[in-house]
Amino acid sequence: MKILFFAQVGQTLFGANRSLLDVVQGLFLLGHDVRVFCTEKWDLARQLELKNIPVFYIQYRSSAISLNNKFFITDYLLSFWKQVSVLEISKKLQSWLPEIVYSNNTTIDIWFKLAEHLKIPHVWHVREFWWEDYSLLYCPTKKAFLSKLNQSRLVIFISQSLQFHYKDIINTKHTVLINPITNLLQKSKIYAPSSQNFIFLFPWYIHKNKWQFIWLRSFRRISKDFKNVQLMFLWSGPRSYVLLLKIYCFVFWIKNVKFLGYSIQPEKYFSWSNAVIVASKKEALGRVTLEAMMHGVPVIWRNTGGTLELIRDGRWIIFDGSVDDLTKKMYMLLQNYHLGQKCVDRATKYINSFCLKSIYIHNLEKLLLSLIK
């Protein structure tokens, strides 16, 4: 198969692009002719080129603008005037003609237009709760954007709850494929005794819909009783929001909080941490959550979104979204180290059955082949 992939705008190795990297490499190793469009030669593109996967470079813009963006009006207008054209993309392809166009995001519609122009199937990978999650406004309208989505030959959701949430919107062929995770040798996690630091890690994009302030308020409470706890924020986000978090720590004298910044290797931080917390308002199914469990780190999840299909059998510790309940669950982990180990053991069995990269690539290959037969 000849498959043309399109990365998200901004080529950082957050969850979506790391999943894309796994998918592209997996299909490439199976002998398929895969190529990727990127906006710039940054982390994702460099990793692709290191694996000898061809990369095209062209500037394209998102078709969805956050209502929280202070440059909202400017970006909204630019989404009309500065979007790349199908003709410009075709010139980049030259004589190479794909059999499938695969969009690894939910905020750009130009790739549907390209597939329509080339008269080939378009696959749309839906990874988040769209307007509910990031307060997005689609250009020109949400209705027009969804009409393009429904003309795609296949829509892939990353969780059953995400699929169910849009069951009344999606009327084209659709399925669920959970994020692929590289297979790891599971090691027994031995939690730090009370004389050592206990680290809570936030390996997530810093955004107000990820509810980091809940973390800080809960951490402030437990740090009064446990002097050995630390809270680490991995990755970055809007500078103004990161600054608000730092000001909050300063005003309320919250110590032992670190902002580690962006990293292309989040895996190494899992080995430092004792627990990961996910407090997102609407989380479709975070890749880093599965990765944390694969590295032997228990996760405290908020009971919303894709979480609901993963919390069976005590695989994860859940909280109801309140500061009181999150504080209670953090206390539970600090006081009962064996609880975390039980969660890890149960979650690892689930991941090995449903989330491994090898299983994902095999299922995806069958789906894509069925589109061109």
Side-chain angles (χ1 to χ4, degrees), residues 103-360:
S103 298
N104 191 55
N105 57 73
T106 47
T107 59
I108 305 171
D109 63 352
I110 188 64
W111 317 130
F112 165 79
K113 297 175 184 176
L114 175 66
E116 189 177 44
H117 172 74
L118 297 175
K119 297 180 180 180
I120 60 176
H122 177 255
V123 177
W124 214 317
H125 203 141
V126 178
R127 312 192 63 91
E128 58 272 310
F129 282 93
W130 300 352
W131 44 91
E132 290 93 339
D133 196 10
Y134 289 106
S135 304
L136 297 176
L137 176 68
Y138 281 75
C139 308
T141 64
K142 183 171 71 174
K143 183 178 180 180
F145 193 87
L146 287 172
S147 69
K148 297 184 179 70
L149 180 76
N150 280 318
Q151 293 176 61
S152 297
R153 287 282 298 278
L154 174 66
V155 175
I156 299 174
F157 294 96
I158 66 169
S159 67
Q160 293 173 4
S161 56
L162 191 62
Q163 181 187 46
F164 179 79
H165 187 76
Y166 293 108
K167 64 182 177 65
D168 297 327
I169 297 176
I170 302 298
N171 53 36
T172 189
K173 181 180 179 182
H174 53 86
T175 189
V176 174
L177 287 178
I178 296 176
N179 276 322
I181 303 295
T182 302
N183 193 10
L184 298 170
L185 178 63
Q186 179 64 32
K187 297 181 180 180
S188 177
K189 181 77 174 183
I190 301 175
Y191 295 103
S194 58
S195 60
Q196 298 180 11
N197 289 329
F198 191 106
I199 298 174
F200 290 96
L201 180 68
F202 178 86
W204 224 273
Y205 180 63
I206 297 178
H207 187 277
K208 72 173 187 177
N209 281 7
K210 302 298 183 183
W211 286 43
Q212 285 91 352
F213 274 107
I214 286 183
W215 285 50
L216 286 176
R217 291 169 65 189
S218 296
F219 183 77
R220 182 188 175 197
R221 294 183 183 182
I222 66 169
S223 60
K224 293 177 181 179
D225 295 327
F226 295 89
K227 303 302 181 184
N228 62 321
V229 293
Q230 291 186 10
L231 177 60
M232 293 186 178
F233 288 91
L234 180 61
W235 284 336
S236 56
R239 292 182 180 179
S240 57
Y241 188 67
V242 175
L243 180 60
L244 282 177
L245 294 174
K246 292 181 177 180
I247 291 174
Y248 184 89
C249 292
F250 176 78
V251 171
F252 290 98
W253 201 245
I254 306 175
K255 299 181 180 179
N256 296 329
V257 177
K258 294 183 179 180
F259 293 84
L260 303 173
Y262 169 72
S263 173
I264 65 172
Q265 293 181 314
E267 300 87 0
K268 67 180 182 181
Y269 293 97
F270 291 128
S271 63
W272 299 355
S273 60
N274 299 91
V276 165
I277 306 177
V278 181
S280 304
K281 181 180 179 181
K282 283 280 188 178
E283 190 58 56
L285 189 70
R287 174 190 171 100
V288 292
T289 313
L290 299 174
E291 288 177 327
M293 300 304 288
M294 204 64 178
H295 283 81
V297 183
V299 180
I300 304 177
W301 271 77
R302 184 176 178 179
N303 60 344
T304 183
T307 311
L308 300 177
E309 63 202 67
L310 296 174
I311 59 178
R312 304 181 186 94
D313 306 322
R315 300 177 197 135
W316 277 265
I317 301 169
I318 63 168
F319 77 104
D320 61 12
S322 68
V323 174
D324 289 340
D325 196 40
L326 177 56
T327 304
K328 176 183 176 182
K329 300 304 165 59
M330 293 171 78
Y331 269 114
M332 286 172 58
L333 267 182
L334 284 164
Q335 295 170 334
N336 184 357
Y337 302 131
H338 298 294
L339 172 63
Q341 185 61 58
K342 288 180 181 178
C343 292
V344 169
D345 292 341
R346 291 168 180 169
T348 301
K349 292 178 181 178
Y350 172 82
I351 291 170
N352 282 327
S353 300
F354 298 102
C355 308
L356 293 186
K357 179 178 174 181
S358 55
I359 299 172
Y360 183 97

Side-chain angles (χ1 to χ4, degrees), residues 5-169:
F5 288 87
F6 289 91
Q8 291 198 12
V9 176
Q11 310 303 314
T12 52
L13 285 176
F14 289 132
N17 279 339
R18 286 190 292 120
S19 292
L20 174 63
L21 184 62
D22 281 343
V23 168
V24 172
Q25 184 184 17
L27 291 170
F28 178 75
L29 293 175
L30 289 177
H32 298 291
D33 187 355
V34 294
R35 308 192 183 189
V36 184
F37 261 108
C38 293
T39 56
E40 54 193 318
K41 190 171 184 177
W42 209 29
D43 294 336
L44 174 62
R46 292 192 188 108
Q47 291 296 317
L48 289 167
E49 290 181 344
L50 285 173
K51 301 177 189 303
N52 297 316
I53 296 170
V55 179
F56 299 112
Y57 295 98
I58 197 168
Q59 290 297 314
Y60 45 89
R61 299 184 64 85
S62 173
S63 302
I65 312 299
S66 173
L67 295 171
N68 299 320
N69 187 348
K70 62 181 179 180
F71 302 110
F72 166 76
I73 295 177
T74 302
D75 286 347
Y76 184 81
L77 294 174
L78 287 175
S79 68
F80 291 99
W81 297 338
K82 294 295 185 179
Q83 184 60 283
V84 65
S85 69
V86 168
L87 181 60
E88 290 175 283
I89 300 171
S90 299
K91 287 180 180 179
K92 287 282 185 180
L93 295 176
Q94 297 180 348
S95 60
W96 186 81
L97 293 177
E99 296 174 286
I100 293 175
V101 173
Y102 190 113
S103 298
N104 191 55
N105 57 73
T106 47
T107 59
I108 305 171
D109 63 352
I110 188 64
W111 317 130
F112 165 79
K113 297 175 184 176
L114 175 66
E116 189 177 44
H117 172 74
L118 297 175
K119 297 180 180 180
I120 60 176
H122 177 255
V123 177
W124 214 317
H125 203 141
V126 178
R127 312 192 63 91
E128 58 272 310
F129 282 93
W130 300 352
W131 44 91
E132 290 93 339
D133 196 10
Y134 289 106
S135 304
L136 297 176
L137 176 68
Y138 281 75
C139 308
T141 64
K142 183 171 71 174
K143 183 178 180 180
F145 193 87
L146 287 172
S147 69
K148 297 184 179 70
L149 180 76
N150 280 318
Q151 293 176 61
S152 297
R153 287 282 298 278
L154 174 66
V155 175
I156 299 174
F157 294 96
I158 66 169
S159 67
Q160 293 173 4
S161 56
L162 191 62
Q163 181 187 46
F164 179 79
H165 187 76
Y166 293 108
K167 64 182 177 65
D168 297 327
I169 297 176

